[in-house]
Amino acid sequence: MGVNDRSRGRGRRGGKRGGRGGGKRRKSNNKYSSSAQKKKRQKLEGNNGEEAPVSSQGANQLLTKGRGRGRGRGRGRGRGRERVLLDHKDLVKARKLQKRYGEKVVAGNEVFAIDFGSLSRPRVSEQIEWRVIAKKAKKKAGVKKDDTKMQAALKKLQETVKAYEGAYPVLAKRGAPAKVMQTMLKYGTDDHRKTICSELKGAWSDLAIDKFGHMVLLKVLFWGSPQQRLDVHGELQGHYRRLAVHSTAAKLVDFIYASAMASDPGVGWSILHELMSDEFKVLKPVSNMPLKDILKEKSGRAEGIKNDCVSLISKAFDKNCVTRPLLALIREYWAAADWTERDALIQVARSHAQMMLISDDGCNVLTDVIAYTTAKNRKIIVKALRPQLGEMAIDSSKCLPLLRAMVSVDDTKLLKEQLIMPLLAEASILNIIDDVVGHRVICQMLRPNTKAVLPEVMLAKMQPVTRGDKPTSKKPFERRRAELVAAALPKVLDIIEQNTYHLSTSEFGNRIVEFAFTTLNETKDSESLVSKAMGEGERETSVARLKGLAEKISQLAVEAPDMDAGEHGEEETEGKKEVNMPLAEHNTGHRLLKRVIKAEGGGLVGDEILQALDQDLNKWAKINRSAFLLTSIAEFGSEKSKKALRSHIRDVAVELRKGSMSTGTKILLKVTGVVDST
């Protein structure tokens, strides 16, 4: 049991039951005081290994207060231990670090990242060995802070720094003292950090591979001055290739590389060059030179440098040390290698596809691998990606391998079992559809490589590729698409039928509804590729579902469902709230209906909507958005609908021209041929 555990337990018992406790009774601020909830408390606080150390006896004498000892019953006095709340100064320092390293780099590292968002208000963060490091910020402005406790804490900190002098390199490798040192580096002054770093100088490479020492080194990099970080980097140069494949130090190299690439890319490239080959430890390439250019200059050593790269990459995969700098090395090697060398790399990396998703470089390389490799390797990669489908679908980089697989993998049965059905069965499927990235993945199942959905950068990565004169995918694009639709459409329709209004008014989900309608229209033709892929029975079912969905949409066009405000029926649009609006009046909904009518070119949806709106045509023709919807029917609807709409508009034209007309009404009168004689 640690110091804080004992103090927390005995102190509270002494306070409640009385006895020999010598301290004043105080109500504990600890929400999770029971020792049985220790694991739950640590999980909620997420203190990244900085839990109060189980200190040695000497550290206890320096850093702890007395504990309540009473165990008797009755009203006595005992003293427990408070945990410290973050001070506003810590928030300021964290924000500066966020600007220095970049929010993306910090947030993208699951091991070492500080969650800056969680620091937006003071909260219980860490158990530390002295009672108060900084006074909690006053809630009321203008109240002068009392720094008495601050001075006392700094004095205690100074005593600790002095007591450790001469033994920092040894203590940094021991559990309890190392954790005390981490807190000293974080909360101490610049002089304290300078004292600690001066003694640890020359031992950084040894600390980097130590279980406790690498955490001390991390605190120096995170809280130290720019010069102290450069000193650490200078001492680690020449060791990065060894540290990058060490199970402990690899995380540290990852942090240094990512931070350097965000603030000083030259330092990051120097680390990357060292990982390429042992010969770059001393004499590094000039500037930020890619591996491809290096091999051109050193053509005589090209084979040896490539072998060094492959050797390090293989070790990293074997030892589970795949980090951002390692994936950057893979990116450079992939760009410089020929197809024989790339195939050898694929054999090493194919079963570790999940590891390549931790950075943009890894995702881009994995996307290329899926595009160019063989069917057997694609099968292994797709199976390896299945556990992370939900996470991949909503990430702008991680989704690239999924999108590429849908246009490259010829085995559509494999895609259905390992990718499409598991993704559509996700509990968070609505969140995926509503996401700016996630809806692209679902759209790719129905209409692959659509310019209206995929940005140009993504679309460029999805084009058919060849190796030599032969395409890497043997199945024709349209046939693969038809088989994907046959696999995905029934499940997509289930989701739409259960959430029709929500998806129709969703900023991104409405694309799914549009593509479902246009795809269902293809099933009307029994000779289409989609109909043949579905089979006659499934095709007839789809045609029936199209009619049912069209009727439901037309009903929602004039009457919104009854749902509580704040649920799926409420959206912020054009600066105002749209709560349970009919689709004909909804900003997103009426645009969806216009696109569906135009895509159908005289199909069922336009007829159903006109029939619903015709019950109160005078009202809908005056409303701007619904008037634009009627205009779409007049332009792209069936001949029957066009004729009926023109007749009805002529009947109510006189009333429509009374007063001020909306822009949609004016266009509707013009398109239907009703001329205003006034």
Side-chain angles (χ1 to χ4, degrees):
M1 179 181 290
V3 172
N4 288 308
D5 292 335
R6 292 196 297 268
S7 63
R8 183 165 54 249
R10 287 187 174 183
R12 295 191 76 233
R13 284 197 294 270
K16 288 183 178 180
R17 301 180 183 176
R20 298 189 299 275
K24 183 178 178 180
R25 182 182 179 185
R26 177 177 65 245
K27 184 179 179 180
S28 173
N29 291 329
N30 187 2
K31 183 178 178 181
Y32 303 99
S33 55
S34 172
S35 60
Q37 296 183 345
K38 181 178 178 182
K39 293 183 178 179
K40 181 178 180 181
R41 183 184 68 252
Q42 292 176 352
K43 181 178 180 181
L44 291 176
E45 293 171 2
N47 49 29
N48 288 336
E50 296 177 333
E51 183 188 358
V54 184
S55 306
S56 60
Q57 185 176 1
N60 291 343
Q61 293 174 357
L62 280 172
L63 304 177
T64 60
K65 293 284 185 180
R67 300 190 299 270
R69 300 178 182 175
R71 293 181 182 274
R73 297 187 178 277
R75 295 182 61 83
R77 294 183 299 175
R79 200 156 49 184
R81 180 170 312 286
E82 286 183 332
R83 285 184 292 170
V84 177
L85 298 177
L86 286 175
D87 184 69
H88 72 288
K89 292 183 179 180
D90 298 315
L91 305 183
V92 173
K93 196 161 190 177
R95 294 298 178 189
K96 290 180 179 179
L97 281 167
Q98 185 181 21
K99 291 181 180 179
R100 181 185 305 166
Y101 289 112
E103 183 175 5
K104 182 178 179 182
V105 173
V106 175
N109 191 309
E110 298 178 358
V111 181
F112 293 114
I114 285 184
D115 181 6
F116 289 101
S118 66
L119 300 181
S120 58
R121 64 183 187 279
R123 67 179 180 85
V124 175
S125 177
E126 301 176 40
Q127 298 181 28
I128 59 176
E129 285 300 300
W130 46 87
R131 291 187 56 197
V132 178
I133 288 297
K135 186 72 175 177
K136 187 171 70 171
K138 298 292 185 180
K139 293 184 178 179
K140 295 182 180 180
V143 179
K144 187 177 180 180
K145 292 185 63 178
D146 180 13
D147 62 349
T148 304
K149 291 184 178 180
M150 170 71 80
Q151 297 299 329
L154 292 177
K155 183 179 179 181
K156 182 66 67 176
L157 176 59
Q158 184 65 33
E159 293 175 3
T160 308
V161 173
K162 187 175 181 180
Y164 277 21
E165 282 184 2
Y168 281 109
V170 177
L171 296 176
K173 296 182 179 181
R174 296 181 181 176
K179 293 175 182 177
V180 174
M181 288 173 64
Q182 293 176 43
T183 314
M184 289 159 54
L185 287 165
K186 181 175 180 179
Y187 293 101
T189 64
D190 291 337
D191 291 336
H192 296 152
R193 298 187 189 96
K194 186 176 180 180
T195 301
I196 296 173
C197 291
S198 63
E199 286 205 24
L200 293 177
K201 190 174 183 179
W204 294 125
S205 60
D206 292 334
L207 292 178
I209 62 176
D210 185 74
K211 177 181 178 181
F212 302 104
H214 84 283
M215 293 299 297
V216 175
L217 178 52
L218 175 68
K219 287 297 184 294
V220 172
L221 292 168
F222 204 86
W223 300 103
S225 66
Q227 185 57 47
Q228 289 167 348
R229 289 194 292 272
L230 286 175
D231 291 341
V232 171
H233 167 66
E235 192 170 317
L236 293 181
Q237 280 186 317
H239 300 279
Y240 280 119
R241 187 173 171 84
R242 171 175 62 91
L243 299 177
V245 290
H246 189 278
S247 58
T248 299
K251 303 171 185 177
L252 194 62
V253 177
D254 176 80
F255 180 82
I256 297 173
Y257 170 80
S259 301
M261 292 303 290
S263 57
D264 186 1
V267 176
W269 274 96
S270 68
I271 297 174
L272 188 56
H273 288 154
E274 189 174 324
L275 297 182
M276 291 177 184
S277 178
D278 287 325
E279 71 177 72
F280 297 143
K281 287 182 178 180
V282 180
L283 186 61
K284 299 185 181 297
V286 178
S287 185
N288 306 340
M289 186 180 293
L291 178 60
K292 192 173 184 178
D293 296 340
I294 294 174
L295 297 179
K296 289 181 181 179
E297 287 192 358
K298 300 179 179 292
S299 56
R301 281 280 299 136
E303 185 176 352
I305 295 173
K306 287 183 178 180
N307 290 338
D308 288 344
C309 292
V310 173
S311 174
L312 188 70
I313 292 170
S314 300
K315 287 181 181 178
F317 278 117
D318 291 341
K319 296 184 178 182
N320 196 21
C321 296
V322 179
T323 55
R324 283 175 283 189
L326 197 282
L327 291 173
L329 176 61
I330 294 177
R331 176 201 69 204
E332 293 296 310
Y333 180 81
W334 180 267
D338 56 33
W339 280 115
T340 302
E341 294 164 338
R342 288 181 179 181
D343 289 337
L345 176 63
I346 292 172
Q347 296 299 317
V348 175
R350 64 183 183 179
S351 58
H352 304 282
Q354 292 186 43
M355 298 182 185
M356 300 182 69
L357 298 175
I358 65 175
S359 76
D360 294 349
D361 293 330
C363 293
N364 288 327
V365 172
L366 184 59
T367 303
D368 287 344
V369 169
I370 294 174
Y372 288 101
T373 192
T374 62
K376 181 179 179 181
N377 290 333
R378 287 173 182 158
K379 182 176 181 179
I380 296 173
I381 292 171
V382 169
K383 288 184 176 181
L385 295 178
R386 178 172 177 172
Q388 296 191 17
L389 290 178
E391 178 185 349
M392 294 173 65
I394 57 175
D395 187 275
S396 58
S397 296
K398 295 179 181 179
C399 74
L400 293 177
L402 294 183
L403 298 175
R404 183 74 236 190
M406 294 182 196
V407 295
S408 294
V409 177
D410 292 332
D411 188 353
T412 50
K413 182 179 179 181
L414 172 70
L415 287 178
K416 178 181 178 181
E417 295 176 353
Q418 300 295 330
L419 193 154
I420 293 176
M421 298 310 294
L423 183 58
L424 294 176
E426 285 278 339
S428 59
I429 184 60
L430 280 182
N431 294 331
I432 294 174
I433 293 176
D434 287 336
D435 186 74
V436 61
V437 178
H439 85 285
R440 294 170 181 161
V441 177
I442 308 302
C443 288
Q444 189 80 342
M445 299 177 185
L446 303 177
R447 286 177 60 182
N449 294 1
T450 303
K451 293 182 179 180
V453 176
L454 297 183
E456 291 184 5
V457 177
M458 285 188 176
L459 196 59
K461 295 180 179 295
M462 301 300 124
Q463 299 306 313
V465 294
T466 59
R467 286 183 60 171
D469 297 332
K470 296 181 180 180
T472 56
S473 297
K474 298 180 181 180
K475 186 172 290 187
F477 181 85
E478 289 299 329
R479 181 183 171 189
R480 182 190 298 104
R481 182 248 172 186
E483 293 176 0
L484 284 179
V485 168
L489 187 60
K491 183 63 178 178
V492 172
L493 288 176
D494 290 341
I495 297 171
I496 293 175
E497 288 170 352
Q498 295 171 10
N499 307 275
T500 308
Y501 183 79
H502 167 59
L503 295 180
S504 299
T505 56
S506 170
E507 180 182 2
F508 303 111
N510 72 88
R511 282 289 183 185
I512 310 299
V513 180
E514 176 190 352
F515 287 178
F517 266 115
T518 54
T519 304
L520 280 172
N521 277 324
E522 297 180 41
T523 62
K524 293 180 180 179
D525 182 8
S526 60
E527 298 300 321
S528 67
L529 290 176
V530 174
S531 298
K532 291 180 179 179
M534 282 185 169
E536 187 61 28
E538 187 64 34
R539 187 190 76 82
E540 293 178 356
T541 303
S542 298
V543 172
R545 296 182 78 173
L546 171 62
K547 185 176 181 180
L549 192 57
E551 293 175 353
K552 189 172 184 179
I553 286 286
S554 63
Q555 185 65 29
L556 292 174
V558 297
E559 183 180 356
D562 184 16
M563 61 175 67
D564 295 333
E567 293 183 359
H568 295 322
E570 179 175 338
E571 294 184 4
E572 291 284 349
T573 308
E574 297 181 354
K576 64 179 182 180
K577 288 187 176 181
E578 298 192 348
V579 184
N580 297 353
M581 276 188 168
L583 294 183
E585 296 183 67
H586 197 281
N587 181 45
T588 304
H590 90 283
R591 292 179 181 178
L592 165 66
L593 297 180
K594 286 166 58 179
R595 292 198 306 269
V596 171
I597 292 170
K598 182 178 180 180
E600 274 192 324
L604 179 64
V605 177
D607 296 341
E608 292 288 344
I609 292 176
L610 180 60
Q611 184 178 354
L613 296 178
D614 193 39
Q615 298 175 6
D616 197 355
L617 190 64
N618 190 17
K619 167 191 171 183
W620 296 112
K622 288 181 178 180
I623 299 173
N624 188 51
R625 290 173 179 171
S626 56
F628 275 114
L629 178 58
L630 290 171
T631 302
S632 296
I633 297 176
E635 289 181 321
F636 307 107
S638 63
E639 291 300 325
K640 178 182 177 181
S641 296
K642 291 179 181 180
K643 185 177 180 180
L645 181 59
R646 290 192 186 100
S647 175
H648 293 323
I649 293 298
R650 287 192 182 96
D651 294 340
V652 297
V654 176
E655 188 173 350
L656 291 177
R657 289 196 293 266
K658 292 180 180 179
S660 60
M661 292 187 295
S662 66
T663 303
T665 304
K666 293 178 182 178
I667 296 177
L668 175 61
L669 292 174
K670 182 178 180 180
V671 170
T672 53
V674 178
V675 180
D676 188 358
S677 60
T678 60

